[in-house]
Amino acid sequence: GVLCSTYYVLYNNSFMSTPPAAARFLAGQIDRVKQFRTKKRLVFPEGDDPRVVAATERLAREGLIEPILLQPK
């Protein structure tokens, strides 16, 4: 079996636990991304959205990607 962390998603302004099948899928994707030799750089045009900022901080903290946030002038 796959040991999965509990993931939470924001839905209607409240956090909900991710269903087990989705958590297994996410865990598999995380394991796959961690095997890359170099971190992928992803551009997020919604850099002024607090949800996107929080998500990219988590992805960077976990060493999964190198986020690039764009913000309006």
Side-chain angles (χ1 to χ4, degrees):
V2 176
L3 179 62
C4 297
S5 300
T6 301
Y7 294 94
Y8 293 92
V9 293
L10 185 62
Y11 181 75
N12 285 340
N13 292 323
S14 64
F15 284 98
M16 298 172 48
S17 180
T18 303
R24 283 192 300 276
F25 173 78
L26 289 172
Q29 294 302 308
I30 289 170
D31 290 342
R32 186 176 69 82
V33 169
K34 284 184 176 180
Q35 293 177 14
F36 294 154
R37 289 186 178 184
T38 59
K39 289 183 201 174
K40 300 292 181 182
R41 282 184 241 159
L42 293 178
V43 177
F44 294 87
E46 309 88 353
D48 58 338
D49 185 333
R51 297 170 298 174
V52 173
V53 173
T56 57
E57 286 173 348
R58 178 178 176 187
L59 291 167
R61 184 175 56 250
E62 293 181 7
L64 298 175
I65 65 165
E66 182 181 330
I68 300 169
L69 292 169
L70 302 181
Q71 297 182 349
K73 290 183 177 185

